[in-house]
């Protein structure tokens, strides 16, 4: 049987059936074959390098009610916050000084014009205070085409908007079925982002209730068909104060969700060798060595959390999110040690643009 897996792993583009076969590996040996191939393909393409992005969770104010997310609008247990400009600039400055090269600004979804302008002016201020040496990724949900264009012009380079799952039926099991949570609209938003000139990232959650291996194969094929530049995906982790918690009995075990998370990274790396792939915080939540293991399966981006420690407990998308009490310098030091101990190099003072993006735009 392992010969069949080994021969499938020689291919660089897999069909749905082949992906299903590879996603179905069970034994530790065959799992390792897949993960090793992910690392081999990474080493031969972007190389054994890790890029850092300082993560700023700007605000937990959100107008949506995704069934899986701890900061959904109706969760009254969450104390809502928005960081001040000064707090964001401090985090950006820290990132710049540490040589991270890049920032991610993530928020709940807010659509007011006030919010749009706040992001635009933050982008401009950050660039001004960091000598234009940081690239910035936004992850602020679905917005209008005009807003995307405005933010792109104000200095955002990349945008991350996960499709969450490409199975439309499953999408409506994990979101309310209303115009605020519309599958086709989310798809269109990804097209708008490309149109606005962003390096575009998307992703899914892995191990959702009722999600199948075939769904995950479709997710991988979707990333390829959209020709995305970056992917951030990770295991679904339940949150006790959300509606999806009532389906917790349907879930794969945490270790199985973790294993599938790694296999997804490896298969994505094999099929899209030049893209940026993040080792998600959710991986680290399920396994203390999650980030390292993600990197060793083919991921090349890590996002140390720069959100002020006092706000972190209010940005709990899922239960047991790690590093609640650590400050960023501690995480950075640990990261440095950790990354070099597994034979990888942290790239400091580099923007870490998606080579896939540079290739598709003729810059590489
Ligand atoms: N509001 C923005 C960005 C913040 S949420 C948006 O939704 O796009 C960022 C990501 O966190 C989501 O895309 C989702 O994939 C992930 N997330 C939310 N709840 C989660 C959970 N319970 N388990 C794992 N990931 C989760
Ligand atoms: Fe809001 Fe994003 Fe959470 Fe959905 S996943 S409730 S949009 S923060």
């Amino acid at each position: 049987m392992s010969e069949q897996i080994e021969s499938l792993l020689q291919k660089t583009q897999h069909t749905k059936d082949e992906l299903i076969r590879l996603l179905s590996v069970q034994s530790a040996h065959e799992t390792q074959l897949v993960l090793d191939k992910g690392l081999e393909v990474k080493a031969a393409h972007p190389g054994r390098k890790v890029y850092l992005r300082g993560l700023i969770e700007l605000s937990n104010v959100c107008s949506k009610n995704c069934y899986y997310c701890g900061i959904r609008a109706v969760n009254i247990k969450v104390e809502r916050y928005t960081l001040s400009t000064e707090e964001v600039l401090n985090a950006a400055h820290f990132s710049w000084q540490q040589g991270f090269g890049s920032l991610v600004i993530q928020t709940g979804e807010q659509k007011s014009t006030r919010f749009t302008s706040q992001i635009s002016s933050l982008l401009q201020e950050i660039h001004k205070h960091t000598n234009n040496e940081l690239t910035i990724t936004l992850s602020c949900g679905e917005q209008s085409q005009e807003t995307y264009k405005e933010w792109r012009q104000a200095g955002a380079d990349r945008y991350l908007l996960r499709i969450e799952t490409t199975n439309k039926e499953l999408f409506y099991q994990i979101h309310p079925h209303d115009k605020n949570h519309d599958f086709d609209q989310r798809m269109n938003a990804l097209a708008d982002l490309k149109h606005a000139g962003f390096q575009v990232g998307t992703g899914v959650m892995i191990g959702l209730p009722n999600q199948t291996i075939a769904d995950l194969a479709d997710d991988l094929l979707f990333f390829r068909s959209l020709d995305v530049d970056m992917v951030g995906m990770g295991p679904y982790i339940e949150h006790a104060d959300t509606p999806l918690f009532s389906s917790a009995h349907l879930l794969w075990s945490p270790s199985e969700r973790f294993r599938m998370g790694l296999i997804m990274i490896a298969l994505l790396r094999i099929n899209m060798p030049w893209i940026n792939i993040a080792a998600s915080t959710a991986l680290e939540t399920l396994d203390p060595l999650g980030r390292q293991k993600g990197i060793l399966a083919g991921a090349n981006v890590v996002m140390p959390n720069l959100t002020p420690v006092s706000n972190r407990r209010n940005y709990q998308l899922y239960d047991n999110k790690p590093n609640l009490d650590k400050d960023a310098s501690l995480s950075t030091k640990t990261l440095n040690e950790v990354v070099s101990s597994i034979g990888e190099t942290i790239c400091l003072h580099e923007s870490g643009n998606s080579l896939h993006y540079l290739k598709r735009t003729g810059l590489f």
Side-chain angles (χ1 to χ4, degrees):
M1 284 303 270
S2 290
E3 294 80 59
Q4 191 202 6
I5 296 300
E6 279 171 36
S7 97
L8 279 181
L9 288 173
Q10 295 310 313
K11 301 183 86 175
T12 55
Q13 298 277 283
H14 295 112
T15 62
K16 181 168 177 181
D17 284 346
E18 290 167 345
L19 287 172
I20 290 176
R21 178 69 192 92
L22 290 165
L23 285 161
S24 305
V25 296
Q26 290 289 337
S27 70
H29 173 64
E30 289 190 348
T31 300
Q32 201 55 49
L33 287 177
V34 177
L35 304 187
D36 287 350
K37 191 66 179 185
L39 181 60
E40 183 188 317
V41 173
K42 174 183 149 176
H45 292 82
R48 294 197 60 181
K49 298 178 194 161
V50 176
Y51 294 98
L52 301 178
R53 282 90 172 84
L55 173 64
I56 302 174
E57 292 154 339
L58 173 70
S59 173
N60 64 359
V61 176
C62 186
S63 59
K64 283 199 163 175
N65 273 306
C66 307
Y67 290 153
Y68 44 84
C69 178
I71 64 167
R72 57 202 301 272
V74 301
N75 186 1
I76 51 163
K77 290 194 190 164
V78 174
E79 223 175 278
R80 303 289 160 173
Y81 74 85
T82 299
L83 300 183
S84 67
T85 303
E86 195 191 348
E87 285 171 314
V88 174
L89 290 179
N90 282 343
H93 202 261
F94 177 85
S95 218
W96 183 48
Q97 279 186 327
Q98 295 287 310
F100 285 7
S102 192
L103 275 186
V104 176
I105 299 178
Q106 195 180 76
T107 63
E109 193 170 299
Q110 301 170 45
K111 284 199 167 93
S112 66
T113 47
R114 189 163 158 266
F115 177 72
T116 307
S117 331
Q118 186 198 355
I119 296 285
S120 294
S121 63
L122 269 180
L123 289 165
Q124 285 154 352
E125 288 288 310
I126 292 170
H127 285 309
K128 208 164 76 192
H129 283 77
T130 57
N131 203 26
N132 275 315
E133 286 174 4
L134 289 179
T135 47
I136 305 178
T137 304
L138 293 180
S139 177
C140 307
E142 286 165 51
Q143 304 288 342
S144 69
Q145 205 164 352
E146 292 66 43
T147 300
Y148 288 149
K149 283 189 186 143
E150 179 182 322
W151 288 347
R152 178 80 184 102
Q153 271 174 4
D157 304 277
R158 315 183 182 119
Y159 204 102
L160 188 62
L161 183 75
R162 291 184 175 183
I163 191 69
E164 314 298 0
T165 171
T166 55
N167 177 334
K168 200 167 176 172
E169 207 177 301
L170 182 58
F171 184 91
Y172 288 120
Q173 288 173 26
I174 63 168
H175 297 99
H177 201 152
D178 62 25
K179 64 177 184 350
N180 206 19
H181 304 78
D182 186 279
F183 181 80
D184 297 319
Q185 215 165 287
R186 203 156 178 94
M187 282 285 183
N188 291 339
L190 285 166
D192 289 345
L193 284 165
K194 255 202 165 164
H195 200 68
F198 282 102
Q199 293 177 48
V200 177
T202 190
V204 293
M205 283 177 286
I206 298 158
L208 288 161
N210 297 322
Q211 192 177 37
T212 64
I213 294 287
D215 291 333
L216 294 175
D218 281 332
D219 294 342
L220 291 169
L221 292 174
F222 169 72
F223 301 150
R224 217 168 64 193
S225 71
L226 194 68
D227 202 25
V228 288
D229 304 306
M230 0 181 257
V231 169
M233 59 183 174
Y236 161 68
I237 302 171
E238 56 275 42
H239 188 297
D241 300 322
T242 61
L244 211 56
F245 193 70
S246 63
S247 303
H249 61 285
L250 298 173
L251 294 173
W252 299 336
S253 70
S255 61
E256 182 59 3
R257 275 176 270 159
F258 179 78
R259 190 183 72 95
M260 292 307 293
L262 296 183
I263 291 179
M264 283 290 281
I265 290 178
L267 293 177
L268 179 61
R269 175 58 70 200
I270 297 166
N271 278 267
M272 300 192 78
W274 295 105
I275 65 170
N276 280 344
I277 305 177
S280 68
T281 314
L283 278 179
E284 200 187 353
T285 308
L286 295 185
D287 182 322
L289 298 177
R291 273 181 174 166
Q292 293 93 299
K293 291 181 183 174
I295 292 168
L296 290 175
N300 65 335
V301 170
V302 166
M303 308 197 296
N305 196 341
L306 301 182
T307 309
V309 173
S310 58
N311 298 102
R312 289 189 199 181
R313 70 188 164 82
N314 285 314
Y315 203 89
Q316 295 269 62
L317 305 179
Y318 41 80
D319 288 333
N320 305 319
K321 207 167 151 227
N323 302 332
L324 267 190
D325 52 356
K326 279 194 220 161
D327 69 26
S329 54
L330 183 64
S331 309
T332 314
K333 185 166 168 284
T334 315
L335 272 168
N336 246 315
E337 288 164 7
V338 157
V339 167
S340 39
S341 76
I342 56 171
E344 303 263 330
T345 306
I346 284 198
C347 300
L348 294 177
H349 304 285
E350 286 188 49
S351 65
N353 281 319
S354 159
L355 296 174
H356 185 88
Y357 170 80
L358 297 181
K359 276 173 163 286
R360 83 175 163 83
T361 51
L363 295 167
F364 175 75

